[in-house]
Amino acid sequence: MKRILRPIMLMFVLTLAISACKKTVKKEVQQEDTYVADNYNKQEVDIEMRDGVKLHTTIYSPKDTSKEYPILMQRTPYSSRPYGEVNFRKQIGPNVHLMKEGNIVVYQDVRGRWLSEGHYENMRAYIPNKTSDQDVDESSDTYDTIEWLVNNVDNNNGNVGIWGISYPGFYATYATIDAHPALKASSPQACIGDFFFDDFHHNGAYLLSYFRATSLFGTPRPNNDQPIDTAWYTLPDIQTDDQYQFFLDAGPLKNLNSFFEYETVDTPTMRPDGKTDDFFWNELKEHPNYDELWQSRGLIQHLDKSKSHVATMIVGGWFDAEDLYGPLETYKNIEKHTEGYNTMVFGPWDHGRWARRNGRSLVGNYYFGDSISEFFQENIETKFFNHFLKGDGGEKSGLPEAYVFDSGRKEWKTYDAWPPQGVEKQAMFLSEDQELSTEQKEVSGIQFISDIKKPVPYSEDIKSVFTPRKYMTDDQRFAARRSDVLVFETNVLEEDLTLAGDILAKLKVATTGTAADWIVKVIDVHPADTETNEEMQDHLKMSNYHLMVRSEVLRGRFRNSFSDPEPFTPNKKTDVTIKLQDVFHTIKKGHKLQIQVQSTWFPLIDLNPQTYVDNIFKADEEDFKTQTHTVFTDSSIEFSVLK
C-alpha cells in the first residue's frame, strides 16, 4: 500500500509546486508605443481646393522646433485616421528611420472619402487642359495641398516628398503630373496604373477574387455624400470558407448583383433596371471592354506630363498579385518620357510587404532571406528621401538606376538600366511529350478538355480571402497533375539560366467553341534534395517544389484589341500572344524550367462561358459550355535572358 501511495503523493506535491510556480510568474505587459505622441505635435485642418471643396488633412510636426524639416505626404482613400488631435498613429512616415530622424508627416483624405468634402471618383480621370477652377483632378488637388502646406506649416524647409502603397501609390504617381515646384521627390509603390490591367482586371479578364473588395470603392457615402469618420461600407459575406465552391454554385456573374443592393426597408432606393447601388460594380459590369471609361482613368498614358524636377523611385514586389503591371509600366513610361531622376526597386515581396519589419522574408510558403524589407527601408528608401529633401538633390544620390532582387539566387543586384545590359531574347517551344525545347519540332496539336463544371483552381487551399496573395509562390504540383493543364519542361539545367525582363507567350491555339481564356505560368522546379523551410505548410515539402515565378491570363476575345473584342472561329488555328510581366529570377543549375498552359484559373478569374457573348457579366447559364482546346507545338515562349 505504501508503494502505491508514495508515487501518488509525489505527483500531488509536484502538481502543487507547478501550480505555485505558475502563480508567481508575472504576465509580461507590452508597453504601448508612444513615440509619435512623445515627439510630434498633431494638427487637423481642412484645406480648401481651387473649386472650394475642403480636404481633411492631418499634420504631424516634430516638437523640436530648433530646425526646419521637409514635408512627407501621403494622400489616401483609406482614411487618415485616427481622427482627433489627441489621437496619434503608432508610426508615421514611410518607415521608422524617417520617423525618428524627424520630418513633417502629412496624411490627407482624398476628395469624396472619409472627412473630405466633394464626390469620390474611383481612379479619377486626369484633365489635361484645365480651363477653369472647376476643372479638378488629383493633380490639381495635390498641387493646391502642397501650396497651402509650404505656406502655412511652421518650420518646413520648402521641400515636399510624397509616397504611397497601392491606391496611395496611384496618388503619388499622379502628384508628378503638372507637379508643384516644391515637390522634389515621389515614391509610387505598388502603384495602380490602370484598372483594366491592375487589381480588378488582368488583360481583360475580371478578377473574381477581388469581388469582396468591390464595395470598398463603390458604396456611396450616406447623407447626400457628406463627410463621415466611420466606415460606411460593408464587405460581402459569402458565409463560407470554400470560395471555389461558392462561386461555382453561384453560376453566372449576374447572380452576384444582390450583394450590391444596399437599401433597407426603411430606406428604399429607386434604381434603374439592371443597376445596383454600388457604382463600381455597375461600372465593372457595364464596361466589360477597354472603352472610354477605363481609358480615361488610366494614368500610364499621361506620364509624359511628369515633371523632371520631381525625382521618382518606383517600388514593387516581384510577387505582388495586386499591382505588378502598375509599377513596372510607371517606371518604364517615366523613363521614356522625362529626363529627370527615375529609379526602380523590386524585391521578393507580395503587396506592400517592404513596409513591414518581419525579419524572415516570405511570400506564402517560400522563404527568400532575412531582413530584406529592413534593408530596403534603411539603405534605399531613407537614402532616397533624405538626398532629395534634406541633401543637395543632385543626380548622384548613391543609388543605382535599378535595385533588383534575384528571386532565384536570393540576392540583391544593381544595374544602370532595366532591363540590364546583356539581355537577349531566347525562344523555347512547347513540344510533344511535355518537352520545353530550344528548337521547333514537327508541328502537331495537343488537346485538352476545359470542363466548366470543374475549372482549374488557382490554389489548393480551401479558403475565402479578401484579396489573394499567397498563390503567387504556391507549389504548382497540384495543377501539373490535372489533365486540363498542359505541362512543358526542360531537362535538368546544367548551368544557371537568369530571366531578366518581360516574357512573351506566343501561343498557336484552337477551340471547339467561340471564346476561351488562356493562362501561362512560368515555373521553377526545384531538385528533390531541396531543404524545406520551417514556415512551409505541413502537407508540402520543398523537395520537387514547383515555384510559380510568373503567370498571366489573356481573355481570348481581346487577343487583337482590348477595345474591340471578337470571337474565335471554331477549330481554326489562331495566334494568341500574352505579355507576362517582368521577372528577375535565376533558374539555378540542377533545377528545371517548366511552362504550364490552361484555360481556367478559378476563382482567381471569373469563368469564361467558352461561347462568345457580348458581355460576360450578363451571360446566362445556358451560355456556359464545356469545350475542347488545342495548343499547337509551334507555340513558343520568348524569354529575356541575361547572359
Side-chain angles (χ1 to χ4, degrees):
M1 186 70 177
K2 287 181 181 179
R3 288 180 181 177
I4 296 172
L5 286 173
R6 187 175 297 166
I8 292 174
M9 287 297 294
L10 284 171
M11 287 178 66
F12 178 70
V13 171
L14 185 60
T15 302
L16 286 175
I18 293 171
S19 177
C21 287
K22 284 183 178 178
K23 288 177 183 177
T24 59
V25 174
K26 293 182 180 179
K27 286 187 178 180
E28 188 176 334
V29 179
Q30 192 166 5
Q31 192 171 3
E32 185 180 358
D33 186 354
T34 61
Y35 183 89
V36 178
D38 293 341
N39 292 275
Y40 283 84
N41 294 316
K42 182 184 177 186
Q43 178 187 11
E44 294 187 14
V45 296
D46 295 320
I47 301 176
E48 187 171 338
M49 301 294 102
R50 62 190 64 180
D51 65 342
V53 168
K54 295 178 180 178
L55 303 188
H56 189 77
T57 309
T58 300
I59 304 165
Y60 292 90
S61 299
K63 289 183 177 179
D64 179 3
T65 58
S66 64
K67 54 186 174 181
E68 294 182 335
Y69 303 92
I71 296 171
L72 273 169
M73 178 170 66
Q74 181 182 103
R75 304 186 68 240
T76 178
Y78 300 132
S79 174
S80 58
R81 289 180 297 186
Y83 297 117
E85 294 189 349
V86 297
N87 299 316
F88 287 76
R89 290 190 177 211
K90 296 295 183 287
Q91 181 176 319
I92 56 174
N95 64 55
V96 66
H97 305 289
L98 289 165
M99 175 181 75
K100 291 189 174 180
E101 286 179 8
N103 287 280
I104 298 167
V105 181
V106 175
Y107 294 91
Q108 183 178 75
D109 294 338
V110 297
R111 181 180 291 257
R113 299 289 284 187
W114 297 90
L115 285 182
S116 285
E117 296 176 350
H119 178 67
Y120 172 69
E121 290 185 13
N122 202 8
M123 298 282 285
R124 188 183 301 274
Y126 168 68
I127 302 173
N129 299 306
K130 300 175 178 67
T131 58
S132 76
D133 286 346
Q134 297 307 307
D135 290 339
V136 293
D137 54 23
E138 305 303 341
S139 173
S140 65
D141 281 355
T142 308
Y143 191 105
D144 294 350
T145 299
I146 293 175
E147 178 70 11
W148 190 93
L149 291 171
V150 295
N151 286 295
N152 291 278
V153 176
D154 293 338
N155 299 106
N156 83 82
N157 70 359
N159 294 332
V160 179
I162 190 168
W163 93 100
I165 297 173
S166 193
Y167 217 141
F170 166 78
Y171 296 113
T173 305
Y174 223 134
T176 69
I177 297 172
D178 300 336
H180 192 284
L183 184 65
K184 304 298 184 186
S186 175
S187 184
Q189 304 180 3
C191 44
I192 305 167
D194 191 313
F195 258 170
F196 207 71
F197 304 97
D198 284 309
D199 288 297
F200 291 89
H201 297 96
H202 273 211
N203 290 329
Y206 169 60
L207 263 71
L208 186 58
S209 51
Y210 286 75
F211 168 78
R212 295 186 65 224
T214 307
S215 57
L216 179 62
F217 303 107
T219 307
R221 285 193 299 187
N223 301 321
N224 294 316
D225 211 6
Q226 290 300 302
I228 185 171
D229 64 359
T230 54
W232 63 96
Y233 49 81
T234 57
L235 305 181
D237 182 6
I238 63 174
Q239 298 185 335
T240 177
D241 289 328
D242 193 342
Q243 194 165 265
Y244 180 100
Q245 194 62 47
F246 168 79
F247 285 116
L248 198 62
D249 292 343
L253 289 174
K254 67 179 185 178
N255 293 344
L256 300 174
N257 286 344
S258 60
F259 284 92
F260 302 109
E261 295 168 355
Y262 301 134
E263 81 276 15
T264 65
V265 174
D266 296 328
T267 57
T269 299
M270 297 297 292
R271 75 175 78 86
D273 289 341
K275 297 286 187 179
T276 68
D277 296 296
D278 190 291
F279 57 83
F280 186 38
W281 179 251
N282 290 334
E283 289 173 346
L284 288 167
K285 69 194 191 74
E286 296 299 331
H287 299 271
N289 307 326
Y290 194 50
D291 59 15
E292 185 179 351
L293 177 89
W294 303 116
Q295 291 174 26
S296 69
R297 296 182 182 184
L299 200 56
I300 301 299
Q301 60 266 40
H302 297 298
L303 293 179
D304 58 340
K305 302 172 189 68
S306 292
K307 298 300 183 183
S308 59
H309 72 262
V310 183
T312 49
M313 183 178 74
I314 316 303
V315 182
W318 290 130
F319 300 95
D320 188 341
E322 297 175 44
D323 298 302
L324 186 58
Y325 169 90
L328 285 168
E329 290 300 315
T330 297
Y331 166 76
K332 291 176 182 179
N333 279 273
I334 291 178
E335 191 70 13
K336 179 167 62 176
H337 293 299
T338 68
E339 298 296 326
Y341 182 98
N342 180 44
T343 61
M344 62 173 278
V345 182
F346 269 76
W349 300 304
D350 58 13
H351 194 62
R353 184 78 59 172
W354 52 88
R356 304 179 194 175
R357 302 178 68 83
N358 295 332
R360 286 175 66 84
S361 297
L362 297 102
V363 176
N365 286 306
Y366 202 85
Y367 168 69
F368 289 102
D370 290 335
S371 302
I372 297 173
S373 298
E374 289 85 343
F375 174 84
F376 161 75
Q377 292 170 30
E378 182 174 358
N379 298 291
I380 303 175
E381 186 176 45
T382 298
K383 193 171 186 178
F384 169 77
F385 279 117
N386 280 347
H387 177 74
F388 289 102
L389 301 182
K390 296 179 179 178
D392 63 20
E395 286 292 316
K396 295 182 179 180
S397 66
L399 295 170
E401 175 75 15
Y403 223 134
V404 286
F405 193 91
D406 184 330
S407 52
R409 286 199 176 100
K410 300 183 180 180
E411 61 186 21
W412 286 104
K413 294 286 187 182
T414 60
Y415 295 105
D416 295 332
W418 184 262
Q421 298 293 327
V423 166
E424 297 178 3
K425 298 298 183 182
Q426 180 176 326
M428 293 189 179
F429 292 88
L430 310 183
S431 302
E432 291 277 9
D433 299 322
Q434 298 191 347
E435 184 182 358
L436 185 62
S437 59
T438 55
E439 295 182 0
Q440 182 181 324
K441 301 185 178 180
E442 184 178 350
V443 178
S444 60
I446 305 172
Q447 293 187 334
F448 65 96
I449 296 172
S450 180
D451 187 344
I452 50 108
K453 296 294 185 183
K454 295 182 179 180
V456 180
Y458 78 93
S459 171
E460 63 178 341
D461 295 341
I462 304 300
K463 59 184 178 182
S464 176
V465 296
F466 176 60
T467 54
R469 296 182 179 180
K470 169 182 169 290
Y471 80 95
M472 291 288 283
T473 61
D474 266 356
D475 187 351
Q476 296 299 306
R477 275 176 282 196
F478 77 94
R481 293 164 182 172
R482 286 181 59 115
S483 61
D484 51 359
V485 177
L486 302 185
V487 175
F488 306 91
E489 192 174 80
T490 65
N491 293 325
V492 173
L493 297 184
E494 296 181 358
E495 59 183 26
D496 290 353
L497 176 69
T498 299
L499 310 179
D502 63 8
I503 300 169
L504 211 59
K506 300 178 177 179
L507 302 183
K508 315 283 187 179
V509 300
T511 175
T512 55
T514 52
D517 293 335
W518 301 96
I519 296 104
V520 173
K521 298 186 287 193
V522 179
I523 293 160
D524 179 351
V525 179
H526 288 49
D529 61 355
T530 306
E531 185 177 347
T532 300
N533 54 280
E534 61 190 63
E535 295 88 354
M536 183 72 66
Q537 286 174 278
D538 291 340
H539 69 287
L540 293 174
K541 302 295 179 188
M542 194 58 74
S543 174
N544 197 39
Y545 194 92
H546 284 34
L547 171 67
M548 190 166 73
V549 173
R550 184 60 72 242
S551 54
E552 194 55 276
V553 57
L554 176 71
R555 181 136 285 172
R557 63 177 55 213
F558 298 121
R559 64 194 179 276
N560 294 319
S561 169
F562 289 110
S563 302
D564 300 307
E566 57 188 292
F568 286 90
T569 300
N571 301 311
K572 180 182 178 181
K573 188 176 182 180
T574 307
D575 289 341
V576 172
T577 299
I578 308 171
K579 180 185 175 184
L580 284 74
Q581 305 302 331
D582 292 24
V583 300
F584 185 38
H585 185 90
T586 297
I587 313 291
K588 296 173 72 174
K589 177 183 176 180
H591 293 223
K592 291 186 285 186
L593 171 60
Q594 182 186 101
I595 298 294
Q596 292 183 8
V597 180
Q598 59 200 63
S599 63
T600 52
W601 210 14
F602 194 76
L604 184 68
I605 61 171
D606 64 311
L607 200 59
N608 193 316
Q610 303 190 137
T611 58
Y612 188 85
V613 294
D614 289 334
N615 186 344
I616 293 178
F617 281 88
K618 298 180 180 181
D620 295 315
E621 190 81 45
E622 56 268 23
D623 294 321
F624 290 78
K625 304 288 185 185
T626 292
Q627 304 288 357
T628 298
H629 301 325
T630 303
V631 175
F632 294 93
T633 57
D634 51 348
S635 299
S636 64
I637 311 295
E638 183 182 86
F639 297 100
S640 301
V641 177
L642 183 59
K643 297 295 186 181

